[in-house]
Structures are given as structure tokens and as C-alpha cells.
Amino acid sequence: MSQAIQKTLRDSAGMRWTALLLLALAMFCSYIFMDILSPIKDLMQETRGWDSLAFGTMQGSEVFLNVFAFFLIFAGIILDKMGVRFTAVLSAIVMLIGAVIKWYAVSESFMGSGLETWFTNNLNYIPVFDELGVSPFYEGMPASAKFAACGFMIFGCGCEMAGITVSRGIVKWFKGREMALAMGSEMALARLGVATCMIFSPYFARLGGEISVSRSVAFGVVLMCIALIMTIVYFFMDRKLDSQTGEAEEKDDPFRISDLGQILTSSGFWLVALLCVLYYSAIFPFQKYAVNMLQCNLDLTAPAEGSFWAGDQVTIVQYVIMLVVAAAGFASNFQKKPATKYGLLGLSIVALVTYCYMGFMRQSAEAIFAVFPLLAVLITPILGSYVDHKGKAASMLVLGSLLLIGCHLTFAFVLPLFKGSAVGGVAIAYLTILVLGASFSLVPASLWPSVPKLVDAKVIGSAYALIFWIQNIGLWLFPLLIGKVLDQTNPGVEDPTKLNYTAPLLMLAALGVAALILGFILKVVDKKKGIGLEEPNIK
């Protein structure tokens, strides 16, 4: 029997990591599409008439169905009932459908069509949601933005379904092995999608000297087709694994509401879920405002027109260097020879320093903040490996909260003191962003692998779904709160580069304080109940 087990795909390191790569690449593509319009907001206003309200409303629609229609809960039920491979393919199909709708909404074909007329005349008032101020549409919203919001809602359902499915899939393939390293590596690769989007979305929109925003979205649609192919290949790998182990992918027992009761009555689960929403709410909403925050607190001077630093080529060069940082840093985690390991790590650090220098020379707030996901790529697998072999997941969450608090307070009080210093301000900004990236790396490396220790294996999908749903509430709420706080604390300020960000940053730091308190409580609960959060995954 033991010999048969040794021959399964799961016991082959190459097959395990191939399965992970397929899932991670699918998420990489989805992360690119998620922000495909963010770098071309100005072009959306010029070509489609989307003002900031229309653009922001459309962007926020992504999580609407997940939060208010509880789709994430249903996604977890589907995952637990139908299994990883079915749900993975389903999520990719749903994302592709939403992406195609969004592409058509911003295409030239939609303009002047009967569908545009219908959206112009309808969906101007949604009962209850309008009264609550949470409607994804409003009267006067451009028809293309309304239809794009519909597509983005569908995409968001598939994207969050994919998120919980990937987490469940990693648990299936890596439980008892390098699970934290696997989860950290998946998130590290996925986050590269954000930086990739910032580089290539404007490139495709302006390709050939003719502006076409639909071309950028079409690029994203092609990537979602690739994501679907990845999940189909994973489908056959996963089915082969089940045929080798004799495990049943689909469960014979129907899902029962009492299964959710097992999750909701776990104090450890609630502590982890609340930690998640507090931590992610202090990070992801901040990312939407981080570039503007840097513009308000740094003295940036545009490089001379016609110089290398003002051209398009520097963007491509920086992206190549970005890939070197990510690839070398990521590969260093898997090297057994010290010379190779530290050589790759050194190369990654040198490339990172080079990237930072280029960002300074370009005097670009976007390029400066782009180092945030780069350090996450480098650090997350290292931290994940540490949790696998040494444990201390709860302690790492506490450390992450402390770093989070320190970074937001630095942005609020220290960075403004260096506004008159061109070099000093950028140096402080880089250092703080890098530390924030390290802090963010602690979450996927320590929090997500802890969930299987808190709930029964049968309801892991539902547990992840509940956590993602709670997280989505924060991701919907806090961008709105930051905007409202900015408006209230900057009355009469019309220049968007002259805003005072102290109050919003203090609010985000307060989230870190709350997460820190919950982290200490989680350590106490873990010690009292023997959950095993401080124990290594590999024993």
C-alpha cells in the first residue's frame, strides 16, 4: 500500500508544483483583468465619457454580487459539493463571460446600438439599494459604464470563486507538505499581474498611435481564455490524482446548513476571519489611493521631454527588470546549493535596487509604488517555507500587524516632513513601501494555511468562502470611507495633488491596531485549545 501511495502525482514534487503553477497562472491572468482599466482612466473619460463617479462606481461593482447577493457563500457550497476541479473550470468560464461582456461594453460596436439605448433608459433607479447608497448604477451613468459594470459583477463572482477554489486546491495537493510555501508562492505570482496590467494596458490602448480602450480589454479577454485553458489542464491532472488515491472528488452527502454551523461556532475561525478583513482592508483600499498619496507628499519633477526617462522604452526596461527581481527572488527559495541560492537572491536585490533607481529618475509615483508587489514576490515564499518548517503562524500575524501600523503612521507623519527633499522623500517612500510589502507577505504565508487547522476538511471550501465574503465587505466599504474622509478633511481643495492624507492613514493604522489585538487573542486561544497554529505544517 505504501508503495502505491508513493507513486501518486501528489507525492511527486514536480507534479505538485505543476498543479500549483496552473492555478497560479490562472489567478495571474485574473489579476491583470481585474485592474485592466485602472491605468487608462483618463482615456475612458476622453473616449467614453466616464467621469470619476462613473469610473469608481463601475470598479466597485466587482464585489457587488459577492457581498449583497451572497454569491461567495453559494460558491463555497458549490466547491464543497462539486469539488475543486469542477469549480475551477466553472470559475474560469464565469470570469471569461464577464470579461467578454465588459469588452463589448467599451467597444465601438456597443456605441449607437440598441443595447446602448436600453441601458441609457434603464437601471437608473434600483429600489432599496439606492436608498442605502450601495447601488451599482445611478441616473446619468453612461450606458457603457452600466453594461461594463454588469460584466464586471459576473467577472467578480468568478474571480472570488477562483480564489477560494485555488486555496482549496492547494490544501488538497500540499497538505502535510509545503502548504504555506505553496500558498505564498501562488499569491506572489498572482500579484505580479497588477504590475503587468499597469505596464501593458496603456501600451495596448495606444498601440499604433490610435487610441482604442477596447483593445486593452481585448488583451484581458485573451488572458482569460488562457486562464480557462490552464484550469482545464488542471482538471485532468486532478482527476488523475483521484484515480490514483481512490478519493472521491464529489461528495455523496448533500450539503447541510448544519455544516456552516461547524464553522460559525469556531472561535478560532472568527478570529482569523476578522483578522483577514481588518488586514486586507488596510492594504487593498490603500493601493487604490497610494499613488495619489505619494503625489501629495513628494516633490516630483517630470523628466526632460525627449529624454530616455520620459520615453516609452524605459517602461519596458523597468518591466523586464521587474521580472528579473521576481524570477530570481522566487527561484532562490528552491535552491539547495548555498552558492546558487544566495547568488540568485543577490541578483534579485541588485535588480530591485536598479528598479528603484529608475523609478526615482522617472519621477513617477506609479513606478515608485510598483515596488510593493515585487517584495511580496520575494518575501512570501520565504515566509511560507518558515511556517511550513518552523510554525509560528499566529506570531507572524502579530508581527505583520505591527509593521502595518508602523507603515501607515510613517506615511501619515514622517513622509510629509521630507516633502522639500527630492531624494529623502523618495527614499522614505521606497523604504516604507518595501516594509509594507513585507508586512503584506505575512498574511498569505501564515493566515490562509491556518484555516484547515480550524475546520473540518469537508467544509474547508465553505470556510474559505465565508472568509472571502467577510473580506469583500471591507474591500467594498473602505475605499468609500477613505474617499469620504478625504472630502471632509480637505474642504475647498481642488488640486488632487494637494490633499492631506493624514486622517485616512490614521484610519488605516487603526485597522492595524485592531488586527494586532485580535492577533494576541488568537495566540491565547491557540494555546488554550491546542489548535496548532504555532506548529509547523511539515512534521
Side-chain angles (χ1 to χ4, degrees):
M1 182 67 181
S2 61
Q3 292 180 346
I5 294 176
Q6 291 298 321
K7 295 180 180 179
T8 64
L9 294 178
R10 185 161 49 198
D11 290 289
S12 166
M15 291 296 100
R16 282 200 308 275
W17 287 95
T18 298
L20 175 72
L21 183 62
L22 292 171
L23 294 174
L25 285 175
M27 292 305 296
F28 171 80
C29 294
S30 70
Y31 268 52
I32 293 176
F33 190 86
M34 193 184 303
D35 282 316
I36 198 69
L37 293 181
S38 296
I40 55 173
K41 178 179 180 295
D42 56 335
L43 299 182
M44 296 306 300
Q45 183 162 350
E46 292 176 12
T47 62
R48 296 296 182 269
W50 293 15
D51 58 13
S52 294
L53 179 59
F55 187 84
T57 304
M58 190 284 303
Q59 292 284 53
S61 67
E62 181 196 358
V63 299
F64 182 82
L65 293 178
N66 290 323
V67 173
F68 295 103
F70 305 101
F71 181 81
L72 263 174
I73 308 301
F74 296 114
I77 295 173
I78 293 172
L79 175 57
D80 282 330
K81 175 63 181 175
M82 302 304 295
V84 173
R85 59 176 176 265
F86 172 87
T87 313
V89 175
L90 176 63
S91 65
I93 293 174
V94 172
M95 284 192 291
L96 180 58
I97 292 173
V100 170
I101 293 174
K102 188 173 180 178
W103 165 76
Y104 181 69
V106 301
S107 69
E108 286 73 15
S109 300
F110 179 77
M111 300 174 64
S113 66
L115 196 58
E116 182 185 31
T117 302
W118 188 93
F119 273 94
T120 299
N121 298 329
N122 294 277
L123 300 180
N124 293 313
Y125 172 74
I126 310 296
V128 181
F129 290 103
D130 269 275
E131 280 73 15
L132 294 175
V134 297
S135 176
F137 314 109
Y138 62 86
E139 187 171 2
M141 185 176 182
S144 58
K146 288 181 185 177
F147 195 31
C150 293
F152 210 26
M153 287 182 203
I154 297 173
F155 171 84
C157 291
C159 187
E160 294 299 329
M161 182 192 292
I164 60 174
T165 303
V166 168
S167 297
R168 177 69 176 269
I170 293 174
V171 170
K172 179 175 183 178
W173 282 79
F174 285 87
K175 190 171 184 178
R177 297 176 176 85
E178 323 93 327
M179 187 162 62
L181 175 61
M183 286 191 172
S185 300
E186 181 272 324
M187 283 304 301
L189 179 58
R191 285 182 190 139
L192 272 180
V194 178
T196 302
C197 170
M198 299 300 168
I199 295 291
F200 288 107
S201 180
Y203 172 80
F204 282 106
R206 296 183 172 90
L207 190 63
E210 179 185 351
I211 294 178
S212 174
V213 294
S214 64
R215 202 159 42 211
S216 291
V217 185
F219 164 64
V221 171
V222 171
L223 291 176
M224 296 319 304
C225 292
I226 294 174
L228 176 58
I229 294 172
M230 294 295 176
T231 58
I232 292 174
V233 176
Y234 173 83
F235 179 96
F236 290 104
M237 281 192 65
D238 195 78
R239 189 170 68 175
K240 178 65 174 179
L241 173 64
D242 284 349
S243 68
Q244 292 176 332
T245 61
E247 297 173 358
E249 174 69 2
E250 291 77 27
K251 294 180 172 59
D252 296 326
D253 296 333
F255 179 86
R256 297 185 296 270
I257 296 298
S258 59
D259 292 336
L260 287 179
Q262 299 176 27
I263 303 172
L264 299 177
T265 54
S266 169
S267 59
F269 166 81
W270 277 111
L271 287 171
V272 168
L274 291 175
L275 266 169
C276 176
V277 69
L278 289 170
Y279 206 95
Y280 276 77
S281 295
I283 295 288
F284 283 123
F286 170 71
Q287 288 181 208
K288 300 180 184 298
Y289 292 89
V291 172
N292 184 234
M293 185 275 296
L294 292 175
Q295 291 170 340
C296 295
N297 289 292
L298 295 175
D299 282 329
L300 299 174
T301 304
E305 196 71 29
S307 68
F308 170 74
W309 303 110
D312 294 333
Q313 296 89 343
V314 67
T315 302
I316 304 300
V317 173
Q318 271 198 295
Y319 185 71
V320 172
I321 294 176
M322 177 192 303
L323 294 180
V324 173
V325 175
F330 184 81
S332 68
N333 292 282
F334 304 92
Q335 305 303 315
K336 295 182 179 180
K337 296 181 179 180
T340 306
K341 179 182 181 67
Y342 292 111
L344 286 171
L345 189 60
L347 174 61
S348 179
I349 294 173
V350 170
L352 180 61
V353 172
T354 304
Y355 182 93
C356 291
Y357 171 75
M358 296 182 71
F360 170 74
M361 293 301 295
R362 292 183 65 191
Q363 292 288 285
S364 166
E366 296 91 337
I368 291 173
F369 186 73
V371 299
F372 175 75
L374 295 188
L375 197 64
V377 173
L378 176 62
I379 297 294
T380 303
I382 297 174
L383 297 175
S385 180
Y386 183 86
V387 173
D388 283 330
H389 294 90
K390 303 294 183 181
K392 305 298 181 182
S395 297
M396 291 175 71
L397 289 173
V398 170
L399 175 60
S401 300
L402 285 171
L403 294 176
L404 179 69
I405 296 168
C407 289
H408 284 312
L409 292 179
T410 299
F411 284 134
F413 297 113
V414 179
L415 187 60
L417 298 178
F418 288 83
K419 187 172 177 59
S421 173
V423 177
V426 172
I428 292 294
Y430 269 134
L431 180 62
T432 310
I433 294 168
L434 289 172
V435 173
L436 187 65
S439 168
F440 192 29
S441 300
L442 291 164
V443 177
S446 55
L447 189 149
W448 297 118
S450 299
V451 176
K453 298 179 180 180
L454 299 170
V455 299
D456 186 85
K458 178 183 177 182
V459 292
I460 287 177
S462 297
Y464 279 123
L466 281 172
I467 293 177
F468 273 58
W469 179 71
I470 295 171
Q471 172 189 318
N472 271 231
I473 295 175
L475 299 185
W476 163 78
L477 176 63
F478 279 95
L480 299 178
L481 287 180
I482 294 174
K484 290 183 177 180
V485 171
L486 274 175
D487 287 341
Q488 293 176 2
T489 55
N490 293 274
V493 179
E494 297 183 1
D495 189 343
T497 64
K498 303 296 184 182
L499 298 173
N500 187 326
Y501 268 84
T502 302
L505 289 168
L506 286 176
M507 179 179 68
L508 297 176
L511 293 178
V513 172
L516 178 63
I517 294 173
L518 285 179
F520 280 119
I521 295 175
L522 182 63
K523 284 175 63 69
V524 172
V525 171
D526 176 57
K527 186 175 181 181
K528 183 178 180 180
K529 295 188 175 183
I531 298 175
L533 298 182
E534 295 286 83
E535 298 177 2
N537 293 323
I538 300 176
K539 300 180 181 179

